[in-house]
Amino acid sequence: MLRKIILSVLGVALIIGAIIFANYLIDNKNKPKPVIPKVIKTVLVDTVKNSSIPIVISANGNLTALQRVELYSEVQGLFQTGSKLFKPGQKFNKGETLIRLDASEYYASVQSAKSDLYNSIAAIMPDLRLDFPDVFQKWQTYLNNFDLNKTTPTLPEISGEKENYFITGRGIVSTYYNVRNLEQRLTKYRIIAPFSGILTEALVTEGTLVRNGQKLGEFINPSVYEMEVAVSKSFADILKEGEAVTLTNLDRTKTYEGKVSRVNGSIDATTQTITAYIEVKHEDLKEGMYLEANLNANKVDNAIEIDRNLLLDTEEIYVIKDSLLDVIPVKPVHFSNTSVVLRAVPDGTIILRKPVPGAYAGMHVKSAVNSDNTSDSVQ
C-alpha cells in the first residue's frame, strides 16, 4: 500500500514538472528578438563644380646623350700612347686626338706615291714648254708649291681639250687621285674628337693591336640629353615641337625643364603609341638616368577630376541622395596613374571623396562635416 502511494506521488510530481517546463518553453518562444541597431557609416564627400581641367600626360624613360659617337677603326695598326689616357670618364675637347695608331709604314707608302706624282709632272714640263707655252707657267707654279710634307695641292684647272688629252694621257690625273685616296686613308690612323665631351666606354688600351672594323669605344657630349617617350595616339595632334615639359627624378626631389625636340611622324602599329623626344640640359644629369615627364596637353571643359578608385568598372560613380548611396553614369575622358577626368556629372552633385569599403546602392551614410560646416567642392 505504501509503495502505491509513493509511486502515485512521483507520477503527479512528474506531470506537474512537465507542465511547468512546457509553459517555460512557450514563454521563451514568444519572447521578441533583440533589435540590431543599424550602422550608418560616416563618409567624406565633395560637391561637384565643373570647370576646365588641364590634361597632363605622364611618361617616363631613360636619358641618352643627344650627341654620341661609337668609335670604330677603319684601319689596322698599333694603338699609340697619347697625351691623355683612353679610359672611361676621360674628357676631351673638340679637335683633340682620341686615338692615334702607328702609321709609319703606311705614311712611307703615301710619301712614295706623292713623289711619283711629282716626278710625273716634272717629266712633262719640257713638253709643256714647247707644245703648250700658254699653260706652262701654271704647272710650273704647281711644282714650286708642291711640298711632300704637306697635303697634295689640287691640280691646276685644265683649260683646253688638247691640254686635257696631254695631261690625262701621261697618267697625271689618275696618279693624283690615287695619292689623294692614300692621304684620305692616312687620316683614319688618327681619330679626333668631333665635339667636347667625355669617353663613356673604352674597349682598347695603349699598345693594343687594333684591327680594321674593331669597335674602340663610345664618346658623348654630356651637356645635352634627350629622352624617348611613348604617348597614346590620341594625343598625336597635340604634341608639338618646342612644347615645355617638366621632368622629375624617381625620388621626386629634383625637377628639370625640358622641351619636345622631335615627334615621330608614324604610329607604332603594335602599341598604337607615338614616340616623342624630349631635350633637357642640366649639369646634374647623367646618361641612363630614369626620369618621369609631364607633358601639358589640351584642357577639357565642363569636367571634374576625381580619384581613380572612385570610378566603378561599369563607368559609374557613387552619389549621395537623401543619406543613401546611389550610382550615376559618367563619361571618362582621361586616365592618369592616380586620377580620372570625368564629364556628364551635374553641378551640385554630392559625391564621395574617398572610396567606402563594401559600398552598395541604397546604403545609409552620413556626410562628414568640416570645421566650417561646409562641404568641399571638386573640380
Side-chain angles (χ1 to χ4, degrees):
M1 187 67 182
L2 181 61
R3 182 179 178 183
K4 291 181 178 180
I5 294 173
I6 294 173
L7 292 173
S8 298
V9 172
L10 290 174
V12 172
L14 289 173
I15 293 172
I16 295 173
I19 294 172
I20 293 173
F21 183 71
N23 290 332
Y24 174 78
L25 292 178
I26 293 172
D27 292 340
N28 286 340
K29 183 177 180 180
N30 295 330
K31 186 176 180 180
K33 296 181 179 179
V35 178
I36 300 176
K38 290 186 177 180
V39 177
I40 301 177
K41 288 190 176 182
T42 302
V43 296
L44 296 174
V45 299
D46 281 322
T47 302
V48 172
K49 183 179 179 182
N50 287 280
S51 61
S52 295
I53 304 298
I55 300 298
V56 178
I57 308 171
S58 295
N60 47 60
N62 296 92
L63 292 180
T64 57
L66 183 62
Q67 290 181 301
R68 65 181 302 114
V69 176
E70 291 188 350
L71 305 175
Y72 285 88
S73 175
E74 298 183 59
V75 294
Q76 179 173 312
L78 197 65
F79 187 5
Q80 293 182 327
T81 303
S83 59
K84 294 183 178 180
L85 291 177
F86 190 77
K87 300 291 184 182
Q90 183 65 57
K91 296 181 179 180
F92 292 88
N93 295 322
K94 182 178 180 180
E96 282 189 320
T97 301
L98 295 173
I99 295 174
R100 186 191 301 275
L101 303 181
D102 183 13
S104 55
E105 182 178 351
Y106 190 81
Y107 177 76
S109 64
V110 174
Q111 294 299 95
S112 176
K114 292 170 68 175
S115 178
D116 290 341
L117 174 62
Y118 182 88
N119 293 337
S120 298
I121 297 176
I124 66 171
M125 292 307 293
D127 295 333
L128 285 177
R129 181 187 294 272
L130 295 175
D131 299 334
F132 304 95
D134 53 334
V135 300
F136 171 80
Q137 187 57 46
K138 67 179 180 182
W139 286 96
Q140 184 62 49
T141 303
Y142 180 81
L143 283 181
N144 294 337
N145 294 331
F146 198 100
D147 189 345
L148 290 176
N149 297 321
K150 296 181 180 179
T151 303
T152 303
T154 305
L155 288 177
E157 184 178 355
I158 299 177
S159 55
E161 186 176 347
K162 291 183 179 181
E163 180 187 1
N164 181 41
Y165 288 151
F166 182 81
I167 299 299
T168 306
R170 297 301 189 276
I172 303 299
V173 176
S174 60
T175 304
Y176 166 77
Y177 283 109
N178 180 57
V179 171
R180 292 301 299 268
N181 181 55
L182 294 175
E183 287 182 331
Q184 184 65 29
R185 188 167 182 79
L186 181 62
T187 61
K188 300 182 185 301
Y189 282 83
R190 177 172 173 262
I191 301 177
I192 63 173
F195 47 79
S196 296
I198 188 171
L199 199 65
T200 59
E201 184 181 23
L203 303 178
V204 293
T205 57
E206 289 79 357
T208 304
L209 177 61
V210 176
R211 302 186 182 278
N212 186 10
Q214 181 178 349
K215 185 177 180 180
L216 307 177
E218 289 187 1
F219 185 69
I220 69 167
N221 182 354
S223 61
V224 185
Y225 296 94
E226 70 175 9
M227 185 174 72
E228 178 182 329
V229 296
V231 182
S232 174
K233 67 175 183 179
S234 58
F235 299 104
D237 57 337
I238 298 173
L239 290 175
K240 296 180 180 179
E241 294 184 9
E243 188 77 19
V245 181
T246 301
L247 301 101
T248 56
N249 59 0
L250 285 177
D251 299 330
R252 297 188 179 277
T253 56
K254 292 185 178 181
T255 303
Y256 310 98
E257 295 299 325
K259 66 177 181 179
V260 177
S261 59
R262 306 191 312 279
V263 179
N264 198 333
S266 63
I267 295 176
D268 191 309
T270 304
T271 61
Q272 289 298 295
T273 57
I274 188 169
T275 304
Y277 298 88
I278 301 171
E279 183 179 316
V280 58
K281 301 178 182 179
H282 200 279
E283 57 184 6
D284 294 340
L285 298 176
K286 302 291 183 183
E287 188 173 54
M289 185 180 292
Y290 187 86
L291 296 179
E292 181 176 340
N294 296 316
L295 294 84
N296 295 322
N298 61 343
K299 293 184 178 181
V300 179
D301 296 327
N302 298 321
I304 62 171
E305 186 175 14
I306 64 172
D307 192 318
R308 189 166 179 170
N309 293 326
L310 295 175
L311 180 65
L312 304 179
D313 295 336
T314 56
E315 294 191 353
E316 296 175 320
I317 62 172
Y318 284 112
V319 298
I320 299 177
K321 295 180 179 179
D322 299 328
S323 299
L324 296 176
L325 284 184
D326 197 4
V327 292
I328 61 171
V330 293
K331 295 180 180 179
V333 178
H334 174 69
F335 290 89
S336 67
N337 293 335
T338 58
S339 63
V340 57
V341 178
L342 304 176
R343 274 181 174 172
V345 183
D347 283 338
T349 303
I350 300 177
I351 64 174
L352 295 179
R353 187 191 307 173
K354 292 185 177 180
V356 177
Y360 58 89
M363 179 180 182
H364 283 270
V365 294
K366 180 174 65 174
S367 302
V369 180
N370 296 332
S371 58
D372 56 357
N373 294 327
T374 59
S375 60
D376 293 338
S377 61
V378 61
Q379 56 185 12

